[in-house]
Amino acid sequence: MMKELTNAQYNYDISLRAISEDPIQVKIYTDKVICSIDQEMSFDIENEALTSVDLFAGDIASSMLLALFHYDQKHDQIIEEVEGQFVFHLKNPLTYLHVRGYDEVPTVCGLTLKCYIVTYEDEVNFQALFDEA
């Protein structure tokens, strides 16, 4: 039992259930919410439904901004507002479209982020906080 408590500082398990009774949708059950996802990814600009990749990218983006804000709240509290423009780079996207000859695994291989932060702190102090966070 003590070993499990010792590892708790290094590891955190996030649990959820995913159930599918057909190839049309997956229901996700967490401790807090139930949602349905019907596509891994969509290249249709008219598609308004969130896909699994949309949710993944949104979760990463919100986690990064919230982590920066929370770090600031524990330290200097100099950030007034944060905005990020995120571009997730997908490798082998044609596999999703079932283009003949493309069967490599599609993966998110990179992320470009432009971060806009409103602060009244001088640039040197802010840069130090940002680098540390």
Side-chain angles (χ1 to χ4, degrees), residues 35-78:
C35 65
S36 293
I37 301 171
D38 64 0
Q39 290 182 334
E40 289 177 76
M41 175 168 231
S42 175
F43 292 92
D44 182 0
I45 201 163
E46 301 287 323
N47 182 22
E48 294 182 10
L50 291 175
T51 66
S52 59
V53 174
D54 293 328
L55 292 171
F56 172 76
D59 289 343
I60 296 295
S62 62
S63 290
M64 290 177 76
L65 295 187
L66 289 171
L68 180 60
F69 240 124
H70 290 152
Y71 183 87
D72 178 56
Q73 293 299 306
K74 289 181 179 179
H75 293 84
D76 299 331
Q77 298 183 2
I78 62 173

Side-chain angles (χ1 to χ4, degrees), residues 78-124:
I78 62 173
I79 296 175
E80 300 290 325
E81 185 178 332
V82 179
E83 177 182 330
Q85 293 180 347
F86 295 81
V87 178
F88 288 82
H89 305 284
L90 183 65
K91 185 175 179 181
N92 301 320
L94 296 180
T95 302
Y96 275 117
L97 298 174
H98 305 293
V99 174
R100 189 174 298 193
Y102 290 92
D103 56 2
E104 292 87 9
V105 176
T107 59
V108 175
C109 63
L111 164 66
T112 301
L113 165 62
K114 283 186 182 179
C115 199
Y116 302 93
I117 299 173
V118 176
T119 183
Y120 299 105
E121 188 67 30
D122 68 59
E123 186 176 344
V124 173

